């Protein structure tokens, strides 16, 4: 089987982290976001994954080649000269996708969940039509495009964009499986699969919805990245509790790389991810935050709802909160307060940031 992952965007919503690395390579749960999907696809029997890329393809290709060798699969890069939307990349990769007659997966690269690829194959083969969309339940459907379908059959009737009156609480989860016939519908030009292809498929009874069990999050922006991390750690607790950190001072779920050095009297958690070669000095408190590799958090600092980029240095008695994001190699001096700051790479912060703002 094959899969195509849409990794074309510039990652603007996740800046300043994406100023240093393409978004699919930003670590989520201590491994590149994209790798969660790639490993789950390989486990489900996918042998060839196509990355539809328009931005910084070299870095992506290099890192994913190592993973492909490790997993015993092929990863190809399909390079867009111009952005082709969410359907155009299928036409661009048509020759690879048509090498056999098997159905193939298409995924958005921003999503994190318990990937149900085996279930998708079974569901798709069972209804025998052209396409299957995975749908997930949300609290506020008015923020999304809602999918209306028959509860007993799964056959999709219509799509309603940001409904102001309740029609359904199920939305498109950004995971699809298609039979090769869909490629006859798509031309090699910028095209939206959601707006231009799916409604036509639904009109001809060719599109079905499969409901996702468990958690789901689009982690393409900092606030949702942190919410997604909490859901992911809860899922790990249920499925692989041995992967979570058990050391002194931990509260709730924490994922800590074995190379991390932790001082005395620290409090970690709930919901903390700490990457390789991080140093946490004495008396530090970290909750609901991700700390990326090679960062130093100095003594008695307090972090809540933060994403700290690679190779940062956070001073003593510093307090940071409210979805503060530090880009790569940021130095924060001692005894400062940062409230919702987005700080670009290679900056030195010498004064407090009392109000949410971007620091360039």
């Amino acid at each position: 089987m094959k899969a195509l992952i849409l990794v074309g965007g510039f990652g603007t919503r996740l800046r300043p982290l994406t100023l240093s690395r393409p978004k699919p390579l930003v670590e989520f749960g201590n491994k590149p976001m994209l790798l969660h999907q790639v490993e789950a696809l390989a486990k489900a029997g996918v042998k060839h994954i196509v990355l539809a890329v328009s931005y910084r393809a070299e870095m992506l290709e290099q890192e994913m080649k190592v993973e492909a060798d490790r997993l015993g699969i092929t990863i190809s890069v399909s390079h867009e000269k111009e952005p082709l939307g969410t359907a155009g990349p299928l036409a661009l990769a048509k020759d690879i996708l048509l090498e056999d007659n098997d159905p193939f997966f298409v995924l958005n690269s921003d999503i994190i969940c318990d990937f149900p690829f085996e279930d998708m194959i079974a569901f798709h083969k069972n209804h025998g039509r052209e396409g299957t969309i995975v749908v997930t339940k949300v609290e506020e459907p008015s923020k999304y495009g809602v999918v209306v379908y028959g509860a007993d059959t799964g056959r999709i009737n219509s799509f309603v964009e940001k409904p102001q009156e309740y029609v359904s609480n199920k939305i498109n989860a950004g995971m699809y499986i298609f039979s090769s016939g869909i490629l006859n519908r798509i031309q090699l030009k910028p095209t939206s699969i959601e707006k231009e292809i799916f409604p036509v498929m639904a009109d001809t009874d060719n599109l079905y919805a499969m409901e996702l069990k468990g958690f789901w999050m689009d982690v393409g922006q900092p606030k949702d990245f942190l919410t997604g991390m909490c859901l992911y750690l809860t899922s790990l607790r249920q499925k692989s509790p041995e992967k979570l950190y058990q050391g002194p001072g931990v509260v709730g779920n924490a994922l800590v790389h074995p190379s991390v050095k932790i001082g005395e009297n620290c409090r970690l958690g709930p919901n903390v991810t700490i990457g390789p070669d991080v140093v946490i000095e004495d008396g530090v408190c970290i909750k609901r935050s991700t700390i990326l590799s090679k960062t130093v958090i100095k003594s008695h600092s307090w972090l809540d709802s933060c994403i700290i980029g690679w190779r940062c240095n956070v001073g003593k008695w510093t307090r940071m909160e409210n979805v503060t994001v530090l880009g790569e190699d940021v130095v924060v001096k001692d005894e400062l307060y940062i409230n919702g700051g987005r700080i670009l790479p290679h900056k030195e912060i010498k004064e407090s940031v009392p109000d949410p703002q971007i620091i360039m």
Side-chain angles (χ1 to χ4, degrees), residues 6-198:
L6 299 163
V7 289
F10 291 107
T12 47
R13 297 180 305 154
L14 202 54
R15 285 179 181 163
L17 299 171
T18 48
L19 296 171
S20 298
R21 293 172 78 86
K23 181 172 57 179
L25 295 181
V26 173
E27 292 90 344
F28 175 94
N30 278 353
K31 64 177 144 183
M33 221 181 268
L34 183 62
L35 190 54
H36 290 270
Q37 298 185 339
V38 167
E39 287 182 342
L41 286 166
K43 187 166 176 259
V46 171
K47 295 293 180 206
H48 192 162
I49 297 172
V50 181
L51 304 179
V53 182
S54 62
Y55 169 66
R56 295 173 81 166
E58 307 72 26
M59 199 171 183
L60 208 54
E61 202 167 358
Q62 220 175 335
E63 292 214 16
M64 282 298 127
K65 187 182 180 328
V66 176
E67 300 300 345
D69 293 345
R70 177 176 69 84
L71 294 165
I73 59 172
T74 303
I75 296 181
S76 307
V77 171
S78 176
H79 204 267
E80 301 171 29
K81 299 288 184 282
E82 58 165 340
L84 291 171
T86 48
L90 278 74
L92 189 62
K94 188 174 183 177
D95 291 349
I96 295 174
L97 298 174
L98 284 178
E99 279 173 0
D100 52 41
N101 249 343
D102 286 341
F104 56 87
F105 293 103
V106 175
L107 312 180
N108 292 345
S109 67
D110 293 358
I111 53 173
I112 200 81
C113 63
D114 291 328
F115 296 105
F117 296 132
E118 287 99 337
D119 293 347
M120 287 170 72
I121 296 166
F123 181 89
H124 185 73
K125 285 184 173 165
N126 188 45
H127 67 68
R129 307 302 285 213
E130 214 167 272
T132 299
I133 296 180
V134 176
V135 296
T136 186
K137 188 161 79 174
V138 290
E139 297 296 321
E140 281 184 70
S142 61
K143 285 165 47 181
Y144 301 93
V146 163
V147 185
V148 182
Y149 59 94
D152 47 345
T153 62
R155 187 170 70 77
I156 293 175
N157 304 314
S158 63
F159 298 88
V160 184
E161 191 57 38
K162 298 186 177 169
Q164 293 315 297
E165 291 181 14
Y166 182 88
V167 286
S168 163
N169 60 359
K170 304 292 196 316
I171 66 160
N172 176 350
M175 289 182 283
Y176 320 121
I177 183 168
F178 299 125
S179 300
S180 55
I182 191 177
L183 295 167
N184 299 325
R185 301 177 182 274
I186 301 169
Q187 296 178 341
L188 184 52
K189 62 178 188 180
T191 312
S192 163
I193 202 165
E194 298 87 354
K195 292 179 179 157
E196 296 173 70
I197 307 298
F198 286 167

Side-chain angles (χ1 to χ4, degrees), residues 70-334:
R70 177 176 69 84
L71 294 165
I73 59 172
T74 303
I75 296 181
S76 307
V77 171
S78 176
H79 204 267
E80 301 171 29
K81 299 288 184 282
E82 58 165 340
L84 291 171
T86 48
L90 278 74
L92 189 62
K94 188 174 183 177
D95 291 349
I96 295 174
L97 298 174
L98 284 178
E99 279 173 0
D100 52 41
N101 249 343
D102 286 341
F104 56 87
F105 293 103
V106 175
L107 312 180
N108 292 345
S109 67
D110 293 358
I111 53 173
I112 200 81
C113 63
D114 291 328
F115 296 105
F117 296 132
E118 287 99 337
D119 293 347
M120 287 170 72
I121 296 166
F123 181 89
H124 185 73
K125 285 184 173 165
N126 188 45
H127 67 68
R129 307 302 285 213
E130 214 167 272
T132 299
I133 296 180
V134 176
V135 296
T136 186
K137 188 161 79 174
V138 290
E139 297 296 321
E140 281 184 70
S142 61
K143 285 165 47 181
Y144 301 93
V146 163
V147 185
V148 182
Y149 59 94
D152 47 345
T153 62
R155 187 170 70 77
I156 293 175
N157 304 314
S158 63
F159 298 88
V160 184
E161 191 57 38
K162 298 186 177 169
Q164 293 315 297
E165 291 181 14
Y166 182 88
V167 286
S168 163
N169 60 359
K170 304 292 196 316
I171 66 160
N172 176 350
M175 289 182 283
Y176 320 121
I177 183 168
F178 299 125
S179 300
S180 55
I182 191 177
L183 295 167
N184 299 325
R185 301 177 182 274
I186 301 169
Q187 296 178 341
L188 184 52
K189 62 178 188 180
T191 312
S192 163
I193 202 165
E194 298 87 354
K195 292 179 179 157
E196 296 173 70
I197 307 298
F198 286 167
V200 181
M201 289 171 72
D203 287 347
T204 55
D205 294 351
N206 262 306
L207 200 55
Y208 281 69
M210 183 190 112
E211 293 183 19
L212 179 68
K213 297 175 178 66
F215 81 101
W216 175 89
M217 200 71 207
D218 174 336
V219 294
Q221 55 189 336
K223 179 171 72 71
D224 296 337
F225 183 102
L226 291 170
T227 302
M229 177 195 68
C230 300
L231 295 168
Y232 173 71
L233 293 177
T234 301
S235 175
L236 267 189
R237 166 72 65 197
Q238 291 159 358
K239 297 193 163 173
S240 308
E242 71 284 353
K243 292 182 179 172
L244 295 173
Y245 181 65
Q246 304 293 341
V250 73
V251 179
N253 298 331
L255 189 62
V256 177
H257 192 273
S259 60
V260 173
K261 293 184 170 63
I262 300 172
E264 302 283 314
N265 302 319
C266 291
R267 176 196 150 121
L268 304 177
N271 298 313
V272 165
T273 302
I274 302 175
D277 303 314
V278 168
V279 175
I280 295 168
E281 294 186 356
D282 297 348
V284 167
C285 173
I286 304 174
K287 48 188 173 180
R288 201 173 183 276
S289 295
T290 286
I291 317 291
L292 298 176
S293 62
K294 296 184 168 63
T295 278
V296 176
I297 311 287
K298 296 211 166 150
S299 56
H300 306 292
S301 287
W302 189 96
L303 283 70
D304 184 4
S305 297
C306 298
I307 306 174
I308 309 299
W310 310 268
R311 288 180 280 278
C312 289
N313 194 305
V314 175
K316 298 173 182 176
W317 297 98
T318 292
R319 180 182 177 110
M320 299 199 287
E321 62 186 351
N322 191 21
V323 196
T324 285
V325 186
L326 307 190
E328 182 180 14
D329 177 38
V330 169
V331 175
V332 178
K333 292 297 190 182
D334 296 347

